[in-house]
Each structure stands twice: as C-alpha cells, then as structure tokens.
Amino acid sequence: GAVVSQHPSWVICKSGTSVKIECRSLDFQATTMFWYRQFPKQSLMLMATSNEGSKATYEQGVEKDKFLINHASLTLSTLTVTSAHPEDSSFYICSARDPRLAGRGNEQFFGPGTRLTVL
Amino acid sequence: GENVEQHPSTLSVQEGDSAVIKCTYSDSASNYFPWYKQELGKRPQLIIDIRSNVGEKKDQRIAVTLNKTAKHFSLHITETQPEDSAVYFCAAIYNQGGKLIFGQGTELSVKP
C-alpha cells in the first residue's frame, strides 16, 4: 500500500513553454501532498504544500504564479511550470501522507520524481 | 526559522566499519525525524525514523538516536557494505502540518 506515482518520469521542453507534472496516490486518498525540487548534488527543497480543494501553501521564495499547483481530487495533484526557463531544469518530486496510517501519520511516501530539462 | 543542519557532507569508510551522520534541527516542537537513502536519479527511500517519545531505535545494522534537549539526532550504520554507498538525508517535521525539512545530505562511500 501507500504508493505514489508521477507522470511523466522525464520531460524535455523548449524555453517559454509550460509543463505539467502529475502526482497520484494510487491506493489511498491524500488530502495533502507536497512538491519538492532537487538540483544536482543538492537536497530536496520543499516548494509547496498542496491541499485538496483549497489553495496551495507556497514556501518562501517560490513564485506561485510560475509554479501552479492544483489539487482537484483526493488522489491527484498537478504542478505546472509556466514559461519554463533553463534554470527551472531540475528533479521534481512529490510526496503524500496516508491518513490511514494511524500513529504513523507523519510518514511521507514519495513519487519516483520527474526530470525536467528546459532547452 | 525552519532549518536542519547535516554533517558531514561526504563520508568515506572501509567496508565493515561504522558510519555516523549527525543532524540538528531548530524547531523544538518537531516530533518526527526520518532518514532517507537516495540513489542517483531515484526517489528518497525511508530507511528508519524516530519519534520524539523515544531516544533510540534500531533496525538490524541501522540505528537512530535522538536528543530532544540538544535537538540532535544521528544515524548509525554498522558493518557497512558497498551497497550502503548512496546519499543519505535526515529530515524533521515542522508545524505539525506535515511538511518535512531536509538536511543537506551526506554522500557515503563504502570502499571494499
């Protein structure tokens, strides 16, 4: 149980275009999902907390108009990188908590990540 | 603010030796401290975690200790093997809202 998937696993796009990344909880409902970005040889940096049915909470320094998050259902959150530029090239990872895990509710389950390359 | 410091950034040991990675956190209200192993291009894999109501937890060759007073927690790997080579991250949960803040990572190299 507690499986999180992401799609696509990798994407290459031209500068100025928008890219949508999907994060799905496959066998549980996630009211909260998290989006991280990881540059090469660096740590995971939390970008935003995605809440089902409400606006996402962005971390300081993350542009909400550039990184659009939509959590329209209990099993799907999407991250859209708008007007992508080469500096947005990174590894984007989502995670979710499984509310069924009473007593282990803080554990997060990570998706496999999406490698974005902007040319 | 929300901060997790991790040391060392790189660690090289001989096969069979022990490896210790240390982290400190800033929010005294944090109550969950996971450790992850990440291989290149892969998702972080939870290897062990500890909650604030215990001071130590062990799972075979891996152990974690927590000192809440000092806001320190450490990962101990004994009898290291080459397949333990990876990047290890500590993390702490903040604001009870579930968001994890990660340490900077430690690249562990186990030499045969």
Side-chain angles (χ1 to χ4, degrees):
Chain A
V3 177
V4 177
S5 71
Q6 273 182 250
H7 179 80
S9 56
W10 60 270
V11 56
I12 301 173
C13 70
K14 293 183 178 180
S15 187
T17 61
S18 294
V19 174
K20 180 184 285 188
I21 302 169
E22 293 185 348
C23 177
R24 292 182 186 273
S25 54
L26 297 187
D27 53 355
F28 66 100
Q29 294 182 327
T31 54
T32 304
M33 292 183 174
F34 304 90
W35 286 97
Y36 297 86
R37 179 170 52 182
Q38 186 177 32
F39 292 110
K41 293 191 176 293
Q42 294 190 23
S43 185
L44 284 79
M45 298 300 294
L46 180 65
M47 298 176 67
T49 302
S50 172
N51 304 296
E52 188 268 335
S54 65
K55 291 183 179 181
T57 303
Y58 289 82
E59 294 299 301
Q60 191 173 5
V62 178
E63 301 174 59
K64 62 181 181 181
D65 294 330
K66 181 170 181 62
F67 299 100
L68 301 179
I69 292 173
N70 186 358
H71 194 152
S73 80
L74 286 171
T75 59
L76 174 64
S77 176
T78 60
L79 168 67
T80 301
V81 183
T82 63
S83 186
H85 291 284
E87 56 265 31
D88 298 323
S89 298
S90 188
F91 192 49
Y92 291 86
I93 310 175
C94 69
S95 71
R97 289 185 298 171
D98 186 347
R100 300 171 303 177
L101 300 178
R104 290 174 54 198
N106 286 329
E107 183 175 352
Q108 290 190 16
F109 298 90
F110 286 86
T114 297
R115 175 77 55 193
L116 170 63
T117 302
V118 184
L119 302 177
Chain B
E2 304 154 351
N3 191 41
V4 177
E5 294 289 332
Q6 182 173 347
H7 299 280
S9 56
T10 61
L11 180 58
S12 182
V13 299
Q14 287 294 131
E15 182 177 1
D17 287 349
S18 294
V20 180
I21 303 171
K22 299 182 179 182
C23 289
T24 61
Y25 60 99
S26 59
D27 187 354
S28 57
S30 293
N31 62 359
Y32 175 66
F33 308 92
W35 285 89
Y36 296 92
K37 177 183 181 181
Q38 188 182 32
E39 296 176 346
L40 191 62
K42 300 288 181 65
R43 76 185 86 193
Q45 176 189 359
L46 179 69
I47 56 172
I48 196 167
D49 56 16
I50 191 167
R51 284 166 174 77
S52 59
N53 56 346
V54 297
E56 184 174 358
K57 183 177 178 180
K58 189 173 183 180
D59 183 4
Q60 299 182 352
R61 296 187 297 110
I62 297 172
V64 57
T65 59
L66 171 65
N67 181 332
K68 282 216 71 179
T69 302
K71 293 188 279 188
H72 290 172
F73 58 115
S74 300
L75 177 71
H76 304 251
I77 305 174
T78 59
E79 301 172 30
T80 54
Q81 302 165 3
E83 50 265 39
D84 293 330
S85 297
V87 179
Y88 291 80
F89 292 98
C90 63
I93 208 160
Y94 277 85
N95 290 340
Q96 301 298 320
K99 67 176 186 178
L100 283 175
I101 302 300
F102 283 78
Q104 295 86 346
T106 297
E107 185 171 4
L108 174 63
S109 175
V110 181
K111 299 185 184 305

